[in-house]
Amino acid sequence: MAQISSIANEQTSTPASSSKSITLRISRYNPEYDSSSKFMEFTVSYQKWTTVLDTILEVKQYFDHSIAVRYSCRQASCGSCGMMINGKPRLACFTKITELNSNVITVEPMSNFPIIRDLAVKFERMFESHHKIKPYLIRDDSEIESDTKEFLQSPKEVEQYIQFANCIKCGLCNSACPTMATDSSFVGPQALAQAYRYVADSRDKGKDTRLKIIDESHGIWRCHFAGSCSQVCPKGVDPAMGIQLLRGYLLGFRS
Amino acid sequence: MRESTIMQIHYGTAIAAVALVAVHVLMRLTQGFADSLEYENVLANYKFIPYAIMLELILVLLSIHGFNGLRVILLELKQGRLYEKAVSYGCLAAMIGLIAYGSRTIIITNMGMV
Amino acid sequence: MTHDEHKEGIRGMANPRRYGIERVAYWLMRLSGLGLLAYFVAHIYETSNILRGQVGWDELMEMTSTTEGHIILTLVIGMCVFHTVNGIRVMLGHGGVGVGKPARPDYPYDPASQNYRHKIGIYSAIVLAAVAMMYGMAVMFGE
């Protein structure tokens, strides 16, 4: 789809040799000692390719070793470094300083997730919701029993769900969702998108089981198609699409 | 009642109400806005049985749609078994109360007991 | 906001910025819905004045046929049109209409569900609401 995205749009063409600097404001909060969070500011230089994670790690290395931050792959594959960057949930390793177009970068822990310390948050609730929708193939037989020793799927059948299988469980969608902002019992866009991933999988026979699970007062019906989850998803999972397609089954538009 | 059934009712009442409210509004515009709100004209509307039935339908449909919407918003703001039961039954009671109050107006006026 | 859960709370839910026009539409939908419910309850109450006969009805008309009453009604017209048109868009979306088809995602990972069809639907709802408000004002203040 040919759409111009702001993600890759850079306003500066800084030559490799020169570097500018920005003010990095990091939210600091230790629930054991602090009653509320506070910000610490650091001046950090950056270049054309510097990501927010690079600046945080630079601060951690040279200024304050105690900053708690979760990260791993540095290439938007693991989903560890999700945080609020200038008010919007993003992956720190996937967000370049230049694309933020600001001299002040504010990083905070992801909203709608309990804080462990500083920028690290707890994922238990998201994992529980994910587990609730049975994120595995449900069927009575196993592939060992079939003649082909595998469940065959055509490329067209794979296309129906592969987009939703790209989910890296980063939690940005849950952070952006307006329902998650107030509803502690809502399953969340991540779990709902994964429910659709399995319902759309031709190998799966557990559609009715999953639909029954999400057909409750804090299930799929508390999604109002605000689309914020899809706006922030770094892997193109588009949870909003999955949720609306899933809803089609409950409304009788799809069988 | 299953949530999917409640939401199907929510969508159904919305679509039906749109059509009927459009008729209700057009009645004001085709008659001349100020004239249509004259006492005698309003009374005539209530006494015309099909129009009275339409008003009753609008009352029921919009009460259901509106208070279910309020229930959804309130359920999202706070959770807990007691609170959720209170919100659900409270909205149901408000819905029934409003329908009863509005129906009283329509029936009494239609029967000419004004 | 419960600090333990670090939820954004009502401020986060009610903040229409940061996530594009779809989030603004969500916020306006909630606002217009609550506004319309309040007006509906008031309307049922005010129209019950017909039971007080000509006197009661004329008193009501005196109260509502003021500049303030017309302005409130204009806002109600706008809310009603927006809520209706956007509601139809949302209902179609909920049925899977216009949300795009699943496909292998590719950089820059633009979401297919946030497409021009729904954006046009939202802007149409806003424009139609504005047009309806202007027409309403022309009818009410023109007499």
Side-chain angles (χ1 to χ4, degrees):
Chain A
M1 183 181 301
Q3 280 187 5
I4 297 170
S5 166
S6 60
I7 293 173
N9 191 13
E10 294 176 18
Q11 298 294 313
T12 63
S13 54
T14 314
S17 56
S18 73
S19 62
K20 298 180 180 177
S21 64
I22 48 99
T23 303
L24 185 67
R25 295 175 74 233
I26 302 181
S27 171
R28 307 299 306 274
Y29 173 65
N30 188 337
E32 286 179 26
Y33 305 117
D34 302 325
S35 55
S36 63
S37 61
K38 61 182 190 298
F39 285 97
M40 290 180 79
E41 293 189 3
F42 306 92
T43 303
V44 186
S45 63
Y46 73 96
Q47 289 167 319
K48 196 169 114 172
W49 51 79
T50 308
T51 62
V52 173
L53 182 62
D54 291 335
T55 57
I56 294 170
L57 292 178
E58 188 174 321
V59 165
K60 197 172 157 67
Q61 187 173 5
Y62 295 113
F63 297 107
D64 188 342
H65 313 295
S66 68
I67 292 173
V69 59
R70 204 186 258 130
Y71 70 100
S72 182
C73 71
R74 298 169 299 118
Q75 58 169 19
S77 287
C78 69
S80 301
C81 60
M83 58 185 73
M84 303 296 280
I85 300 174
N86 283 4
K88 208 168 151 179
R90 297 175 222 249
L91 291 180
C93 68
F94 200 43
T95 308
K96 290 213 278 286
I97 298 290
T98 47
E99 77 187 54
L100 293 170
N101 296 317
S102 174
N103 290 328
V104 179
I105 312 290
T106 303
V107 292
E108 298 162 276
M110 274 198 296
S111 17
N112 310 332
F113 286 82
I115 303 173
I116 300 173
R117 210 183 90 219
D118 300 338
L119 300 172
V121 295
K122 292 182 196 174
F123 276 76
E124 276 81 358
R125 184 185 152 197
M126 193 180 92
F127 293 151
E128 271 164 28
S129 301
H130 186 214
H131 185 74
K132 185 175 165 184
I133 57 94
K134 301 186 192 290
Y136 39 83
L137 289 181
I138 296 175
R139 56 190 294 158
D140 294 325
D141 57 342
S142 85
E143 55 268 43
I144 301 167
E145 296 159 14
S146 76
D147 294 335
T148 52
K149 300 289 183 258
E150 60 183 336
F151 293 134
L152 294 178
Q153 240 176 4
S154 66
K156 217 173 164 190
E157 284 169 332
V158 172
E159 289 284 311
Q160 296 303 309
Y161 71 87
I162 195 71
Q163 166 182 334
F164 307 102
N166 266 16
C167 178
I168 57 175
K169 325 297 185 277
C170 60
L172 299 187
C173 53
N174 283 7
S175 189
C177 177
T179 306
M180 292 291 281
T182 52
D183 191 342
S184 303
S185 308
F186 182 45
V187 280
Q190 188 272 332
L192 290 169
Q194 291 311 293
Y196 183 71
R197 176 253 176 274
Y198 286 96
V199 165
D201 193 325
S202 58
R203 298 168 295 177
D204 183 71
K205 305 280 179 249
K207 182 184 95 193
D208 293 333
T209 312
R210 285 195 194 84
L211 291 181
K212 219 180 271 188
I213 292 168
I214 58 168
D215 186 6
E216 49 153 26
S217 62
H218 293 283
I220 194 170
W221 301 106
R222 294 296 81 90
C223 167
H224 305 288
F225 197 18
S228 306
C229 51
S230 293
Q231 296 277 355
V232 300
C233 180
K235 303 303 286 182
V237 173
D238 201 351
M241 183 206 287
I243 296 168
Q244 308 327 310
L245 293 175
L246 189 59
R247 212 193 301 249
Y249 287 106
L250 286 163
L251 286 172
F253 288 116
R254 306 174 120 217
S255 55
Chain B
M1 200 188 271
R2 272 203 342 221
E3 196 68 23
S4 55
T5 310
I6 295 174
M7 291 314 291
Q8 281 169 341
I9 294 170
H10 193 72
Y11 296 148
T13 52
I15 294 170
V18 164
L20 296 179
V21 168
V23 171
H24 183 52
V25 168
L26 281 169
M27 282 293 285
R28 305 299 129 217
L29 297 177
T30 50
Q31 269 186 298
F33 184 66
D35 289 340
S36 71
L37 292 176
E38 289 293 325
Y39 177 72
E40 294 303 331
N41 287 331
V42 173
L43 211 58
N45 284 156
Y46 274 104
K47 290 200 167 134
F48 185 47
I49 302 253
Y51 196 80
I53 292 173
M54 189 195 76
L55 285 181
E56 185 67 29
L57 276 172
I58 291 175
L59 173 67
V60 170
L61 292 170
L62 284 184
S63 296
I64 293 173
H65 187 81
F67 281 105
N68 188 46
L70 179 67
R71 181 190 73 98
V72 164
I73 292 174
L74 291 175
L75 284 182
E76 287 180 20
L77 288 181
K78 194 167 138 64
Q79 292 76 49
R81 268 198 70 184
L82 213 61
Y83 173 80
E84 288 182 30
K85 272 194 155 47
V87 161
S88 296
Y89 287 113
C91 286
L92 193 63
M95 192 189 302
I96 292 168
L98 192 68
I99 291 173
Y101 187 81
S103 300
R104 171 182 161 263
T105 305
I106 294 170
I107 291 168
I108 291 176
T109 314
N110 179 260
M111 287 169 71
M113 283 154 47
V114 175
Chain C
M1 172 181 105
T2 319
H3 203 80
D4 286 340
E5 292 180 31
H6 190 225
K7 290 195 299 211
E8 281 187 308
I10 296 178
R11 277 181 65 192
M13 186 263 279
N15 182 358
R17 298 181 356 241
R18 300 176 293 168
Y19 300 111
I21 193 70
E22 290 86 356
R23 184 68 171 250
V24 174
Y26 160 86
W27 178 75
L28 284 174
M29 198 67 177
R30 293 227 144 169
L31 217 60
S32 60
L34 290 171
L36 285 170
L37 183 63
Y39 172 75
F40 182 59
V41 173
H43 187 66
I44 299 300
Y45 173 72
E46 75 182 7
T47 49
S48 70
N49 273 287
I50 196 92
L51 296 176
R52 288 172 49 215
Q54 176 97 48
V55 171
W57 188 255
D58 289 344
E59 270 176 27
L60 168 72
M61 282 295 109
E62 247 185 70
M63 203 177 68
T64 54
S65 299
T66 54
T67 307
E68 294 82 15
H70 287 333
I71 289 173
I72 289 171
L73 202 53
T74 306
L75 287 170
V76 168
I77 291 168
M79 286 194 291
C80 189
V81 172
F82 176 81
H83 198 84
T84 304
V85 178
N86 193 51
I88 292 169
R89 175 198 72 91
V90 164
M91 270 199 279
L92 288 171
H94 283 185
V97 175
V99 295
K101 282 190 171 47
R104 233 167 249 280
D106 203 355
Y107 187 83
Y109 302 123
D110 285 327
S113 64
Q114 312 300 295
N115 55 48
Y116 70 92
R117 286 182 217 94
H118 281 277
K119 288 191 200 303
I120 285 173
I122 295 167
Y123 285 116
S124 304
I126 295 171
V127 165
L128 284 170
V131 167
M133 284 168 79
M134 286 193 294
Y135 179 69
M137 283 173 77
V139 167
M140 286 186 287
F141 289 106
E143 289 181 349

